[in-house]
Amino acid sequence: MVEKVYGKHYTLFNPKKEVSVCKILFSIFSFSRMKLKVGSILLLSLLLPTVLCSQITIRGKVFSAADKEALPFVSVIIKGTTIGAQTDFDGNFVITTTKPGDSLVAVYIGYKRMARAINKNLSTQELNFPMETEGLALDEVVISSGENPANRIIRNCIKSKEVNNRNKLKAFEYEAYNKVEFDLTRIPKEMRNKKILKPIKFVFDNVDSTFSGEKPSLPFFIIESISNMYYKSDPKRKKEVVVASKITGLENSSVSQVLGDMYQNVNLYDNNIQVANKQMPSPVSDNGFFYYKYYLQDSAFEGNQYIYHLTFKPKRVQELSFTGNIWIADTTWGIKRVEMNLPKDANINFINTAGIIQEFTYTDSTWMLAKDRLVIDFAPTKKAIGFYGRKTTSYKKIKINQPRDDKFYEFADKIVVDEDATKKSEEFWTANRHDSLTSREKKIFKMIDTIQSLPVYKTWVDVFYIIVAGYKQFNNFEIGPYSNLVSYNRVEGTRLRFGGRTSDAFSTWYELSGYVAYGLKDETWKYALGFRSFLTKKPSRQIVGMNYRNDYEIMGQSTNGFSQDNILASFFRTSPLTNLTRVASTQAYYEKEWFQGLITKVTLVGRQLTPLGSNHYYYYKRDGLVGEKENINNTEVRLNVRFAWKEKYVGDGFKRLSIGTRYPVLQANYSKSLQNAFKGEYDYQKLVLNVSDRIRITPILGYTDYTIEAGKIWGTVAYPIMELHGGNQTYIYDEMAFNMMKYYEFASDQFASLAVFHHFEGLFLNKVPLLRKLKWREVATFKTVWGSVNDKNRKTLLFPSTLSALDKGPYAEAGIGVENIFKIFRMDAFWRLNYQLPKAIDNFGFKFGFQIML
């Protein structure tokens, strides 16, 4: 059996010893042939060392022909010999031998066997292997007694997780070196020759040709970082200090945090692994035998123990799980290496390839990560233009069970970016990189800076920003949003609007915004003006702001619904919009983020509400007659508290984006009216509590999102100030609304609601052969709300004919639907379960939605 030593080449002979043997043989030969002619002896003295001692060195790289990604742990052997090597983490190998043979063979599970001819006339040569996949095709094996030996190894590995899982240690720390790169890939040749890309044609002329047949790519982002990671298990605390960060292609310091080691680390010993926000079972999950089939391929002696090589694949088609290879050490049953990918038929969007490669080292009786690689190929289809992301991490200076004081870790998981992290010199990087940059990566740093200075690149960025944000930037200002420029409703007729805001080019510390709008039918101007400014950004974010708005609103609409002047809402209403309210609102607020995840906001709000269209404010006068109010005025102070444990963001300005949290999100909103202050008419207090979370049951059953909300008002208020439960009178699905409820249909001064959404992730449709290829996914919805209104509040303002309290019990609706239609649409069917409308057809409806999901 060939002894396999990872990361090192090996030969049958030691070159230094071979030279000594040659000298001895030559001496013996010379003395035993003293009678030969002098010329023959001289000739043999020249030829013999050459024949016996000449060496050939073969270097090369093994990679996937499909995506050009390096393949680690591949066996490369000279045909007909026991001389060979195993590729290292980056797919490289070196073989030095005096017996070159005729060809070099690469063999790897899941790939076609490949051979390359050896040129014996060259002392040094390079042979690369672009290997083609052939799937994990294994013959069925019938075992008459005993169990599959692979299952025994996996079972022992699962039993030993408590010992081998580094998160079970008292403490550990290490230095991590991260390298992340994103490239635009699969750019067709005909597109590269088009006029729009001619300014960057030099990029394609300088593509790294290390891989034969590599398709040109356009690098647009690369980051390097060096950080110190600290972990303590009791109490559980994490801290990461980014000591150096080098970003090319994106000016955003927060990227140093979200692409660091703490939040981009895959732990194989967890039962479930999240990749691209999808939950998938680990190959050594406690329930691994439910998801995977395991096969023992080989065993080899490395160091002082045997390493078992196993392959695994999903038991069922299109499930979110992995296929690949895993190496497990005997005795300790820890994971030595793993290489796994998403199956080609996995029900996941926009990802052609997702691969994880990890290598572990045995340190102080524990298997610790030594190298880690995550590769994802994003694209709308397998052959379309997309982008390719790869993250490589290496770990050094590992310390185990040397916990620091609790104060060092601080309260929450903390990521600290040193002030000078982005200012490190090139000499620092050369001395501290765990691996030197390849020639290709050196070119990328230079090319990205050049590309970003070209007008064509700026044009692409502008188009992308318009699509995502809805604004077009003109130097210091941004015009938009474009979806609100033109709209229509029965009250205003055709509505024209023009607005914008200052851009980051104007200031990253404060922002001015505003708009004006005009209705051609009501011939009335509407307008808004706002200002906000940072007081501090570090160590905590503090923002102050003021705004004034005088415009029409839809009362009784969810906070997630389209505004009344959105162009889509104009086209897809189920009934004409007539019950608008003119709201003149003035706000001043102060917001503070105490730490990432905890935000408080104090707001002073003054509002004047004037009914429009078919809506009126009627009330009982003291003489018992009915009177009409032109408007109502209300002033209140609000305190909002939002807590999302370990929530992370991308961006550090006003437009930062939350990338979520794995924990429940808690919100508390308290309001206290200021009667007689700024024309305030009412005296009340209001408290609303909200909790929302995602429950990931098992990868096969999908996940459940839920929201629970409850609120109460103490005091006397008019119905426009009560909780007007959000309805939806469009054909567009609204996650936060009751989709079969109308605007202005139900109001409460105390209430409790529940919304549950379950995403089956194709659990049923994946089993239907003809539908399986569409990758549709099932979704179910249930919503209910209970509420009431006391007698005093019913008489403050008379309820219009369309509005009522929930006097007959809770309102409920349910829906079933299909999402992931053409990867961007969903369609839902909804039923009102009670509070039936007179026409049966009105109790049932379809809604469609736009959503981009993986």
Side-chain angles (χ1 to χ4, degrees):
M1 180 179 291
V2 178
E3 182 177 0
K4 301 178 180 179
V5 182
Y6 171 69
K8 298 181 181 179
H9 70 276
Y10 52 89
T11 60
L12 188 62
F13 305 109
N14 186 315
K16 293 183 179 179
K17 291 185 179 180
E18 287 176 353
V19 173
S20 300
V21 171
C22 290
K23 288 182 178 179
I24 294 171
L25 290 175
F26 180 68
S27 299
I28 295 173
F29 186 87
S30 299
F31 283 111
S32 64
R33 297 292 186 269
M34 290 296 292
K35 295 181 180 180
L36 291 177
K37 294 182 179 180
V38 175
S40 299
I41 293 175
L42 291 175
L43 180 60
L44 287 171
S45 68
L46 293 174
L47 293 178
L48 186 59
T50 303
V51 173
L52 292 178
C53 306
S54 63
Q55 298 182 115
I56 289 181
T57 300
I58 306 172
R59 303 174 184 274
K61 188 160 191 168
V62 182
F63 56 92
S64 170
D67 55 22
K68 308 303 182 292
E69 192 62 30
L71 296 177
F73 325 131
V74 179
S75 296
V76 183
I77 301 174
I78 297 175
K79 186 177 180 180
T81 73
T82 58
I83 302 170
Q86 196 173 67
T87 59
D88 64 13
F89 196 79
D90 298 311
N92 299 309
F93 68 89
V94 180
I95 299 174
T96 302
T97 181
T98 58
K99 296 184 178 181
D102 297 321
S103 60
L104 193 62
V105 180
V107 181
Y108 197 46
I109 297 296
Y111 290 83
K112 295 180 181 179
R113 179 179 179 275
M114 188 176 184
R116 298 291 303 274
I118 296 175
N119 189 338
K120 297 181 180 180
N121 297 322
L122 296 177
S123 59
T124 301
Q125 52 193 291
E126 181 176 335
L127 296 178
N128 295 321
F129 290 81
M131 301 188 71
E132 297 182 356
T133 59
E134 62 175 356
L136 189 61
L138 298 170
D139 295 333
E140 182 179 357
V141 177
V142 178
I143 301 175
S144 57
S145 63
E147 70 168 335
N148 180 351
N151 289 354
R152 179 184 63 85
I153 296 170
I154 290 295
R155 187 174 290 109
N156 285 329
C157 181
I158 293 173
K159 288 180 181 178
S160 303
K161 287 202 299 185
E162 289 289 324
V163 178
N164 294 315
N165 187 354
R166 66 179 187 178
N167 288 345
K168 302 300 181 180
L169 296 170
K170 291 182 180 179
F172 62 80
E173 59 187 69
Y174 53 75
E175 179 185 88
Y177 168 69
N178 282 292
K179 185 164 55 182
V180 182
E181 179 189 338
F182 284 96
D183 301 339
L184 194 65
T185 62
R186 289 182 293 277
I187 303 175
K189 184 176 181 180
E190 55 273 18
M191 181 178 290
R192 283 180 269 139
N193 294 329
K194 288 186 177 181
K195 184 177 180 181
I196 190 173
L197 291 180
K198 283 187 177 180
I200 58 173
K201 193 174 184 301
F202 72 94
V203 174
F204 306 113
D205 297 333
N206 289 278
V207 172
D208 186 7
S209 58
T210 301
F211 303 151
S212 177
E214 180 179 10
K215 295 180 180 179
S217 60
L218 178 64
F220 63 89
F221 171 72
I222 187 169
I223 178 175
E224 291 183 281
S225 69
I226 298 175
S227 59
N228 294 321
M229 177 70 188
Y230 307 91
Y231 175 87
K232 185 177 182 180
S233 60
D234 188 21
K236 190 173 182 179
R237 294 286 185 268
K238 293 180 183 179
K239 181 177 181 180
E240 183 175 11
V241 180
V242 181
V243 297
S245 179
K246 184 177 182 181
I247 305 173
T248 303
L250 189 65
E251 296 180 5
N252 196 322
S253 61
S254 67
V255 174
S256 301
Q257 299 182 18
V258 298
L259 291 182
D261 187 65
M262 187 183 295
Y263 297 101
Q264 299 294 320
N265 195 294
V266 173
N267 187 351
L268 288 171
Y269 291 107
D270 290 339
N271 286 329
N272 297 307
I273 298 170
Q274 275 193 244
V275 177
N277 204 33
K278 290 290 184 180
Q279 180 176 261
M280 306 174 199
S282 166
V284 293
S285 164
D286 292 346
N287 301 313
F289 293 106
F290 180 77
Y291 297 103
Y292 294 105
K293 294 180 180 180
Y294 302 93
Y295 307 89
L296 177 60
Q297 296 298 323
D298 194 9
S299 63
F301 197 75
E302 295 187 17
N304 58 354
Q305 64 185 140
Y306 275 98
I307 303 295
Y308 298 106
H309 175 196
L310 288 77
T311 57
F312 55 91
K313 69 176 184 178
K315 280 190 172 181
R316 291 163 290 273
V317 297
Q318 286 198 194
E319 277 191 5
L320 291 177
S321 49
F322 297 100
T323 180
N325 300 266
I326 188 169
W327 288 259
I328 297 175
D330 193 9
T331 307
T332 62
W333 305 110
I335 300 173
K336 171 67 175 175
R337 296 188 288 270
V338 70
E339 174 271 322
M340 58 189 189
N341 298 275
L342 281 178
K344 293 182 179 180
D345 61 355
N347 192 340
I348 190 169
N349 295 328
F350 310 115
I351 295 181
N352 291 337
T353 304
I356 297 173
I357 303 171
Q358 292 188 338
E359 179 192 358
F360 295 80
T361 182
Y362 198 59
T363 305
D364 294 338
S365 303
T366 302
W367 288 98
M368 297 291 290
L369 262 177
K371 287 190 176 181
D372 184 12
R373 175 181 290 156
L374 175 63
V375 177
I376 302 181
D377 181 5
F378 298 90
T381 63
K382 293 187 181 300
K383 295 183 179 180
I385 297 175
F387 63 92
Y388 198 79
R390 60 172 65 85
K391 175 180 180 288
T392 303
T393 308
S394 57
Y395 305 87
K396 292 184 177 180
K397 301 178 182 179
I398 300 172
K399 295 181 181 180
I400 291 177
N401 292 332
Q402 300 178 31
R404 297 172 181 253
D405 294 336
D406 289 345
K407 292 182 180 180
F408 172 81
Y409 300 94
E410 301 185 40
F411 173 64
D413 288 359
K414 187 74 172 179
I415 299 181
V416 179
V417 181
D418 285 351
E419 291 292 334
D420 62 342
T422 59
K423 302 175 183 178
K424 300 295 185 182
S425 65
E426 193 56 44
E427 290 75 16
F428 172 89
W429 285 105
T430 302
N432 290 276
R433 280 190 186 101
H434 291 189
D435 297 302
S436 58
L437 293 178
T438 64
S439 58
R440 179 179 182 274
E441 290 165 341
K442 292 177 181 178
K443 291 179 181 178
I444 288 174
F445 278 113
K446 295 180 180 179
M447 285 193 296
I448 290 178
D449 291 335
T450 304
I451 292 170
Q452 288 185 321
S453 66
L454 299 176
V456 64
Y457 175 85
K458 296 178 180 179
T459 300
W460 293 349
V461 172
D462 288 344
V463 171
F464 181 78
Y465 189 70
I466 291 174
I467 295 173
V468 174
Y471 286 80
K472 172 68 172 72
Q473 183 174 343
F474 297 92
N475 297 323
N476 292 333
F477 297 95
E478 297 178 0
I479 305 301
Y482 285 93
S483 59
N484 299 75
L485 292 179
V486 181
S487 59
Y488 176 84
N489 63 72
R490 287 256 183 115
V491 176
E492 297 177 276
T494 300
R495 173 185 167 112
L496 306 176
R497 169 173 158 166
F498 179 81
R501 63 192 181 191
T502 55
S503 68
D504 288 344
F506 178 79
S507 175
T508 58
W509 280 87
Y510 59 90
E511 177 188 86
L512 297 171
S513 61
Y515 70 84
V516 293
Y518 185 77
L520 300 183
K521 181 179 179 180
D522 67 348
E523 298 181 345
T524 304
W525 289 95
K526 301 90 183 175
Y527 42 88
L529 183 65
F531 166 80
R532 57 181 174 175
S533 174
F534 280 105
L535 295 180
T536 60
K537 293 185 178 181
K538 292 181 180 181
S540 62
R541 287 167 54 101
Q542 296 186 78
I543 302 174
V544 295
M546 295 183 64
N547 60 70
Y548 176 78
R549 185 172 183 267
N550 195 321
D551 202 350
Y552 296 170
E553 292 185 12
I554 304 173
M555 307 297 288
Q557 181 186 41
S558 80
T559 56
N560 192 53
F562 286 115
S563 61
Q564 88 285 355
D565 60 350
N566 186 283
I567 186 65
L568 289 177
S570 301
F571 283 110
F572 295 106
R573 297 193 191 282
T574 58
S575 60
L577 183 60
T578 58
N579 55 349
L580 291 173
T581 302
R582 179 151 196 158
V583 180
S585 172
T586 304
Q587 295 188 16
Y589 63 87
Y590 166 76
E591 178 182 302
K592 179 174 181 177
E593 182 180 63
W594 300 85
F595 56 84
Q596 274 198 348
L598 178 60
I599 299 175
T600 58
K601 184 177 181 179
V602 179
T603 309
L604 176 63
V605 184
R607 294 194 302 163
Q608 183 180 80
L609 284 66
T610 304
L612 299 171
S614 60
N615 192 18
H616 300 273
Y617 291 160
Y618 295 115
Y619 69 101
Y620 284 117
K621 295 189 292 186
R622 292 183 179 180
D623 56 9
L625 299 177
V626 175
E628 181 179 356
K629 297 190 68 170
E630 181 180 351
N631 53 54
I632 61 174
N633 294 277
N634 183 52
T635 305
E636 64 182 18
V637 176
R638 300 172 181 171
L639 172 63
N640 307 98
V641 180
R642 184 179 184 276
F643 179 63
W645 179 246
K646 298 183 180 180
E647 183 177 33
K648 298 304 165 192
Y649 296 88
V650 175
D652 51 10
F654 295 117
K655 309 175 188 68
R656 69 176 183 171
L657 175 68
S658 171
I659 57 176
T661 174
R662 297 184 181 182
Y663 300 89
V665 178
L666 308 175
Q667 297 184 72
N669 302 308
Y670 173 77
S671 303
K672 176 65 177 76
S673 67
L674 301 178
Q675 192 176 26
N676 300 321
F678 306 103
K679 300 182 180 180
E681 301 178 30
Y682 303 100
D683 184 16
Y684 65 90
Q685 298 181 70
K686 181 179 181 180
L687 177 65
V688 177
L689 303 176
N690 180 291
V691 57
S692 60
D693 191 18
R694 170 168 293 179
I695 301 174
R696 297 185 182 273
I697 305 171
T698 64
I700 195 172
L701 295 178
Y703 61 91
T704 299
D705 293 332
Y706 73 85
T707 300
I708 301 173
E709 188 171 77
K712 183 176 176 61
I713 298 175
W714 295 268
T716 303
V717 294
Y719 70 81
I721 304 172
M722 295 181 193
E723 185 70 23
L724 296 172
H725 302 295
N728 182 11
Q729 288 183 243
T730 72
Y731 291 106
I732 303 173
Y733 170 74
D734 184 351
E735 182 178 355
M736 297 183 65
F738 292 91
N739 283 279
M740 293 306 297
M741 187 185 292
K742 300 181 181 297
Y743 302 140
Y744 256 157
E745 187 172 0
F746 295 108
S748 302
D749 58 20
Q750 60 179 352
F751 72 97
S753 66
L754 170 68
V756 180
F757 316 87
H758 186 75
H759 301 260
F760 291 93
E761 295 284 80
L763 174 63
F764 304 108
L765 296 179
N766 281 350
K767 308 299 186 294
V768 183
L770 294 179
L771 296 178
R772 183 184 300 154
K773 293 183 179 181
L774 298 174
K775 296 187 177 181
W776 289 357
R777 303 168 190 168
E778 317 84 351
V779 60
T781 303
F782 175 77
K783 291 186 177 183
T784 184
V785 58
W786 168 89
S788 64
V789 179
N790 64 46
D791 292 337
K792 193 171 184 180
N793 285 338
R794 291 174 190 258
K795 298 176 182 179
T796 304
L797 277 185
L798 300 181
F799 281 21
S801 59
T802 59
L803 184 67
S804 65
L806 293 164
D807 296 323
K808 301 177 182 179
Y811 168 90
E813 66 181 34
I816 58 173
V818 176
E819 57 187 357
N820 202 43
I821 301 173
F822 304 120
K823 301 183 180 181
I824 58 173
F825 296 106
R826 68 176 288 170
M827 180 68 71
D828 293 82
F830 287 98
W831 293 265
R832 285 176 71 122
L833 302 181
N834 54 7
Y835 290 93
Q836 299 285 304
L837 299 174
K839 294 182 179 180
I841 191 64
D842 292 335
N843 297 304
F844 173 80
F846 286 100
K847 306 286 182 178
F848 73 91
F850 304 91
Q851 60 181 21
I852 298 177
M853 56 192 305
L854 295 176

